Amino acid sequence: MADFLCGVRSSPPVVQALLATLFTWGLTALGASAVFWMGSYRQRLLDAMLGFAGGVMIAASYWSLLAPAIEMSSGSAMPWLPAAVGFLTGGLFLRGVDAVLPHLHVGFRMDEAEGIPTRWKRSVLLVLAITIHNIPEGLAVGVAFGAAGSGFPGASLAGAATLALGIGIQNFPEGLAVSVPLRREGMGRLKSFWYGQLSGAVEPVAGVVGAVVVGLSSAILPYALGFAAGAMIFVVVEEVIPESQRSGHADLATMACLVGFVVMMVLDVALG
C-alpha cells in the first residue's frame, strides 16, 4: 500500500485526477448497487441523502475551490476577481448545458423534463440529469489535482484528495437516486444498476479535462477553480436542494444539508 501511495504522489496530475475520479465513479456504482439488496426505499431517506449531498457540494465549493483561488491571486490588486469571474462563468456554462441537454430530475413527471424537447425514454432522461450533476464534480477534482501539481500556495495534494473523498461520499446517494427509482418503475435490477452507475461515468472524463486545462497555463488556475465552484453551486441550487424539498421532508433535508456541509468542512480543514 505504501508503494502504491508513493506511486500516486509521484504521478502526473492528470493521472492523479484520473485515479481520483475513478474512485468517485466507483462510489456512484456502489450507491447504484443498492438496487440489488434494497427492495424498496422511503422518500425520506432519499431526500435526506440529497440534502447531505448538497451540503457537501456547497462546502467543497468554498474550502476546496474558491478559497484556494482567492489565495492564489492574493498578490494582485483585486484578488477576488479571478474567482468571481470563474464562478459566474461556471454557473453560466451549466445553465447553457441545462437549457440544451434533455433531462428529467428524480421524482418529476415526464412533462416536467427540461432541455430540448425529445421522445427519449424516462430512464435516459434520469441518467442525463445526474450526468449534468456529475460534470462539475469531476471537473472540480481534476482542477484541484492540476492546481496541486502546479505548486501554487493554497493548493495541495492532500486538499485535492480530500475533495475527491468528499465528492465520492456524496456520489453514493446519487447512484441510489437513479437506480432504485428505476427499479420501482419496473426496470430489472441489473439494468437499473447499469443506468445508475453510468451516470458517474462522465466524472473521469471531466476530471482529466480539468487537469489538462490547468496544466496548460498556471495563469488560468484561479479562474478554473472558480469555474468549477460556480458550476457546482448552480447544480445545488437548481437541482439538488429543490429535489430534496419536493416531497414534504424539507426540515429533514435541510438538517441533512447542514450535516453534509459540516462533514466536508471538517474533512477539508482536518485533512487538507
Side-chain angles (χ1 to χ4, degrees):
M1 177 61 74
D3 292 339
F4 173 77
L5 292 176
C6 288
V8 170
R9 292 191 187 97
S10 61
S11 299
V14 172
V15 175
Q16 295 172 349
L18 176 61
L19 292 174
T21 47
L22 287 174
F23 165 76
T24 60
W25 180 15
L27 286 184
T28 302
L30 184 62
S33 70
V35 75
F36 293 115
W37 50 267
M38 183 181 287
S40 61
Y41 76 100
R42 293 185 177 183
Q43 188 63 39
R44 288 172 56 88
L45 174 63
L46 181 57
D47 291 344
M49 285 185 166
L50 287 171
F52 180 87
V56 169
M57 293 175 72
I58 293 171
S61 295
Y62 175 72
W63 269 279
S64 298
L65 299 171
L66 288 176
I70 294 171
E71 185 174 350
M72 288 176 187
S73 306
S74 58
S76 65
M78 294 183 288
W80 48 267
L81 183 61
V85 170
F87 186 86
L88 293 175
T89 304
L92 288 172
F93 171 77
L94 255 291
R95 175 66 186 99
V97 173
D98 194 67
V100 173
L101 187 65
H103 61 284
L104 178 68
H105 299 309
V106 176
F108 283 43
R109 303 185 308 272
M110 280 296 290
D111 60 2
E112 296 178 281
E114 301 177 29
I116 296 175
T118 180
R119 294 185 179 181
W120 292 349
K121 293 181 179 180
R122 179 181 178 88
S123 57
V124 175
L125 295 176
L126 286 169
V127 172
L128 287 176
I130 302 298
T131 300
I132 293 173
H133 186 157
N134 286 336
I135 290 174
E137 295 174 6
L139 187 64
V141 173
V143 169
F145 276 97
S150 71
F152 265 77
S156 66
L157 182 59
T162 301
L163 175 61
L165 177 61
I167 295 296
I169 290 172
Q170 63 92 42
N171 272 1
F172 181 89
E174 288 181 7
L176 184 149
V178 177
S179 64
V180 175
L182 290 177
R183 174 59 180 165
R184 185 179 60 181
E185 293 179 9
M187 189 176 289
R189 293 183 187 274
L190 185 59
K191 196 171 183 180
S192 298
F193 166 76
W194 171 254
Y195 278 118
Q197 65 82 31
L198 190 63
S199 64
V202 71
E203 289 197 7
V205 177
V208 169
V209 169
V212 168
V213 168
V214 299
L216 296 177
S217 172
S218 59
I220 67 172
L221 265 174
Y223 294 93
L225 288 167
F227 182 95
M232 284 217 292
I233 292 298
F234 179 90
V235 168
V236 172
V237 176
E238 195 272 340
E239 175 187 342
V240 179
I241 298 300
E243 284 183 27
S244 71
Q245 307 274 323
R246 184 179 173 88
S247 302
H249 306 122
D251 289 340
L252 175 64
T254 301
M255 292 307 300
C257 181
L258 296 180
V259 172
F261 185 96
V262 170
V263 167
M264 185 63 211
M265 178 182 68
V266 171
L267 284 174
D268 195 274
V269 174
L271 304 178

